[in-house]
Amino acid sequence: MIKQLFSILCISILFFNASCTSQKEVVEELEEEQEQNEEDLETEFDLPTLVSDSTLSFLRGDDTLSASIQDLDLEYLEITAVVLEHNNQQISEGIFSEDSTSINFPIDSKELPEGFVNLEVKLSLKEVLSEEEVEVTTTISMEVDNYFPAIFYESNYIQLQYFSYTDVWTAFSIDLFYADLEYNRITDIYNVANIEGDSLTLEIPEGYEGQEYFLCKLINNTQENPSSNGSTVTSVGNSMYIDEISSNGASKINYASSSNKGDYKSVTVAINNSIDYSLSGRYGKYETTTKDGYQFTTFENIIDPTAIKRVTLNDLVISSGDNSNIVVLSYINNGDTLWVEEDQLTEPSDWKALPYEDRERLLVSCFVKSDGIVGQIYNMFDFYDENNIEYYKTKKVLNENTEVIYSLRADNNQTEYYSLLTTTTKELPFTNYRNFYSPEDFGISIQDGDVTINNHNADYFYKFVMVKKLDQSNPNFRQAIYITLNKSNHLAREFNFNLSSLNQDNTNTLFDNLPLNYEVNVTNYDDSYYDALNNGAFKVNWDLE
């Protein structure tokens, strides 16, 4: 019995020892595993980097941006999300490649503002062991270019064009559209009368890859002017202006009216009664009264040059004996009076008229400037002949703070070409004005129906104009087409503007088949009213066979 109990005790001890040994080993294994996990958690690794892979120079319509993930260790990091944001707003969710190294972001760029924007790529990651979340970002700067520059014509622009000081326009219209660099129309045609007062913002065709375009304006006008024999001469003008522009340039193109028929004023000139004088000049209705030793002459409907641009100003010539002076009525403020005393009046100064040469024509004009407002006056000069020599008599302006600028436009009308040169001066007489340009100063070539003109003088900005005169059989009906290219030295003989929707037969017929013989103008000014003030401005015209 004792022996049996002893055997049982021994067996129990053995089991107890074995059990203790097993528990110890488990504990040791757990401790080792915990230590290993802690070591694993303490393992250092670098976060990946994001790099933009996009080769796009701008975004237009539905487009795709791409980026790549560099140095991503998937043993330690798990990708949870990748998005593209603008101003902290998600605009696209990334689409991964099979190896998760590159990402594409499909976007609708019209959801973004026009111009340059900063887009942020956000890559969200989770550490495999700690499950801690981390984020990697990069910024992509891109230009969004979905729209042409907005075009704005001020209200009543077309109506105000009917007013011209010397012409009567019985019809006037402007149509505009955009064309590509091959002269193919890529937008609808818009009539300015229907859009004036509002901005016209047109979307660039999504398939168009560039940012350079032509803004084309078709101007059609009809003038009816009396001729010397009492009949009416009807002139139809068709002008096309083609401006090369960039959609990443100015965001808005503004057109302001050059005239406003309704802006006139009433002014008064008070002349001392001691002066025996006579009045002449460019003015309309007036009324004269006498008071306090002065004769007050009030002129109505005087042009206000702050409201009516590029017109001839109203002037008043005061003559007294040998004295003759001029008052610029348009420079007197509305309701104000300009006072004239006898000691202010002076004799005109003389200068010898310019000698003419063969095939030459000279035109001298006078401009005045006050408070930044420039206008032309016609009554500055009188002429007289002495010993068969012609002289100019130049009057003095009585308005204060008024600058006088004289302009000479010299025409050299040779058999094979025509040249014009403008010279300005503040002191008479004119000198050194015969530096005319000729076609030899420009390189010109005709090949495959295209005309190319090269500039030899890079100091000037040039404009090229093609002119074709139409229907010369009727002396009382004149018609011409002017095709103007600005900022370009390439003139294409054939145009593909698809102008049928304009319903202007004379214009459509012209563009259907431009002839081989037409006139080319090269000029460094824009035919505006103030071109006569551009010292050194020139024009050269010649015919191409």
Side-chain angles (χ1 to χ4, degrees):
M1 183 67 179
I2 295 174
K3 183 178 181 181
Q4 185 178 3
L5 290 172
F6 178 78
S7 297
I8 294 172
L9 178 61
C10 289
I11 293 171
S12 299
I13 292 173
L14 288 173
F15 275 107
F16 175 78
N17 289 336
S19 175
C20 291
T21 302
S22 176
Q23 291 181 4
K24 181 180 179 181
E25 291 174 351
V26 170
V27 171
E28 291 176 350
E29 290 177 1
L30 290 174
E31 290 176 347
E32 291 176 0
E33 184 177 346
Q34 182 177 355
E35 291 175 358
Q36 182 63 43
N37 289 339
E38 290 175 353
E39 291 177 3
D40 290 340
L41 290 173
E42 294 174 358
T43 300
E44 294 184 0
F45 56 87
D46 294 326
L47 290 175
T49 55
L50 286 169
V51 178
S52 171
D53 290 339
S54 179
T55 59
L56 300 174
S57 56
F58 59 88
L59 298 174
R60 179 173 297 155
D62 293 328
D63 231 324
T64 301
L65 282 177
S66 59
S68 62
I69 306 175
Q70 296 182 356
D71 303 322
L72 173 62
D73 192 338
L74 295 175
E75 181 180 355
Y76 298 105
L77 294 171
E78 175 186 342
I79 298 173
T80 58
V82 60
V83 295
L84 185 68
E85 293 185 352
H86 176 252
N87 288 341
N88 296 319
Q89 298 294 320
Q90 180 178 326
I91 61 172
S92 179
E93 185 173 351
I95 301 174
F96 284 94
S97 61
E98 291 184 0
D99 59 0
S100 298
T101 59
S102 63
I103 319 162
N104 288 329
F105 297 97
I107 60 174
D108 179 2
S109 64
K110 290 193 287 295
E111 295 180 354
L112 297 170
E114 195 81 351
F116 285 91
V117 297
N118 289 325
L119 305 176
E120 189 172 38
V121 181
K122 288 186 177 181
L123 175 64
S124 298
L125 302 166
K126 183 174 68 173
E127 294 186 17
V128 174
L129 297 177
S130 68
E131 297 188 352
E132 181 181 348
E133 294 183 352
V134 294
E135 187 177 76
V136 178
T137 64
T138 190
T139 299
I140 303 175
S141 295
M142 289 295 297
E143 181 185 4
V144 179
D145 188 28
N146 283 306
Y147 299 93
F148 296 104
I151 300 172
F152 177 78
Y153 280 86
E154 70 175 18
S155 298
N156 299 320
Y157 183 93
I158 295 297
Q159 180 181 355
L160 295 175
Q161 303 313 303
Y162 279 91
F163 173 62
S164 173
Y165 211 87
T166 57
D167 303 316
V168 178
W169 289 1
T170 57
F172 185 87
S173 68
I174 302 176
D175 295 278
L176 54 85
F177 57 89
Y178 283 99
D180 63 21
L181 297 184
E182 299 297 325
Y183 306 106
N184 300 302
R185 182 168 61 83
I186 56 176
T187 68
D188 290 336
I189 299 173
Y190 296 86
N191 187 274
V192 170
N194 298 328
I195 64 172
E196 58 185 12
D198 294 318
S199 291
L200 176 66
T201 303
L202 300 178
E203 186 176 337
I204 300 170
E206 191 165 327
Y208 196 89
E209 297 181 354
Q211 293 184 289
E212 305 296 325
Y213 314 88
F214 287 131
L215 174 60
C216 307
K217 291 183 294 181
L218 274 168
I219 300 178
N220 183 281
N221 64 73
T222 302
Q223 298 178 3
E224 294 182 358
N225 302 306
S227 66
S228 58
N229 61 11
S231 62
T232 298
V233 177
T234 301
S235 300
V236 177
N238 300 282
S239 301
M240 172 166 282
Y241 294 89
I242 306 173
D243 291 303
E244 186 175 337
I245 65 168
S246 174
S247 56
N248 65 350
S251 60
K252 194 171 187 179
I253 303 172
N254 292 297
Y255 294 97
S257 296
S258 59
S259 62
N260 189 334
K261 192 173 181 179
D263 289 297
Y264 295 97
K265 55 187 176 180
S266 173
V267 303
T268 300
V269 176
I271 302 176
N272 195 299
N273 280 339
S274 64
I275 304 173
D276 182 16
Y277 69 91
S278 62
L279 302 179
S280 61
R282 190 181 182 90
Y283 52 84
K285 180 181 177 181
Y286 67 93
E287 183 177 332
T288 300
T289 59
T290 301
K291 182 181 178 181
D292 298 332
Y294 288 86
Q295 291 193 3
F296 295 85
T297 303
T298 299
F299 300 87
E300 304 291 342
N301 297 326
I302 298 301
I303 292 173
D304 185 350
T306 63
I308 304 178
K309 311 299 182 184
R310 300 184 177 182
V311 294
T312 303
L313 303 179
N314 294 117
D315 57 32
L316 172 70
V317 178
I318 303 175
S319 301
S320 177
D322 293 333
N323 297 330
S324 185
N325 293 84
I326 196 165
V327 172
V328 184
L329 297 174
S330 295
Y331 282 167
I332 304 175
N333 292 329
N334 184 41
D336 282 359
T337 299
L338 184 143
W339 301 81
V340 179
E341 304 294 344
E342 187 170 7
D343 59 2
Q344 293 179 259
L345 301 181
T346 59
E347 289 188 38
S349 58
D350 294 348
W351 56 285
K352 187 177 178 180
L354 295 166
Y356 284 81
E357 293 188 356
D358 185 39
R359 297 184 177 274
E360 188 176 84
R361 182 180 61 181
L362 307 175
L363 175 64
V364 178
S365 303
C366 180
F367 292 81
V368 287
K369 182 178 182 180
S370 178
D371 292 332
I373 303 297
V374 178
Q376 186 176 5
I377 55 176
Y378 278 142
N379 294 296
M380 176 62 75
F381 305 114
D382 290 327
F383 303 93
Y384 72 97
D385 186 277
E386 186 175 288
N387 297 325
N388 294 323
I389 299 176
E390 189 178 46
Y391 288 87
Y392 286 83
K393 296 175 72 71
T394 306
K395 305 176 183 68
K396 177 184 175 182
V397 176
L398 297 182
N399 301 70
E400 294 182 353
N401 303 317
T402 299
E403 182 180 28
V404 180
I405 306 170
Y406 304 101
S407 171
L408 170 68
R409 300 186 69 159
D411 299 64
N412 186 7
N413 195 3
Q414 299 297 319
T415 304
E416 64 278 12
Y417 69 91
Y418 163 86
S419 185
L420 177 147
L421 182 68
T422 298
T423 304
T424 63
T425 181
K426 296 178 183 178
E427 300 291 336
L428 296 172
F430 289 92
T431 58
N432 190 28
Y433 60 87
R434 287 194 170 101
N435 297 322
F436 293 104
Y437 287 83
S438 71
E440 287 71 29
D441 294 306
F442 308 91
I444 184 167
S445 63
I446 305 175
Q447 184 177 4
D448 298 329
D450 290 340
V451 179
T452 303
I453 301 177
N454 299 315
N455 305 330
H456 293 333
N457 190 336
D459 294 335
Y460 287 102
F461 168 79
Y462 295 100
K463 180 181 73 174
F464 303 94
V465 183
M466 288 192 298
V467 181
K468 177 180 182 278
K469 296 180 179 179
L470 308 174
D471 191 4
Q472 298 298 303
S473 59
N474 183 353
N476 290 333
F477 186 85
R478 294 194 297 266
Q479 181 171 278
I481 181 75
Y482 298 87
I483 307 169
T484 303
L485 278 73
N486 292 326
K487 300 181 181 178
S488 174
N489 68 345
H490 185 264
L491 301 178
R493 179 172 297 149
E494 295 182 359
F495 291 79
N496 182 23
F497 286 128
N498 188 17
L499 302 177
S500 58
S501 61
L502 285 176
N503 296 319
Q504 296 177 0
D505 292 338
N506 49 8
T507 303
N508 295 333
T509 302
L510 174 83
F511 283 98
D512 286 343
N513 184 21
L514 285 174
L516 292 177
N517 56 333
Y518 51 87
E519 180 182 296
V520 173
N521 302 342
V522 180
T523 178
N524 70 331
Y525 63 94
D526 63 2
D527 283 329
S528 68
Y529 178 80
Y530 296 125
D531 289 334
L533 290 177
N534 293 338
N535 190 38
F538 69 87
K539 176 190 289 186
V540 183
N541 298 358
W542 67 96
D543 293 329
L544 298 180
E545 297 297 333

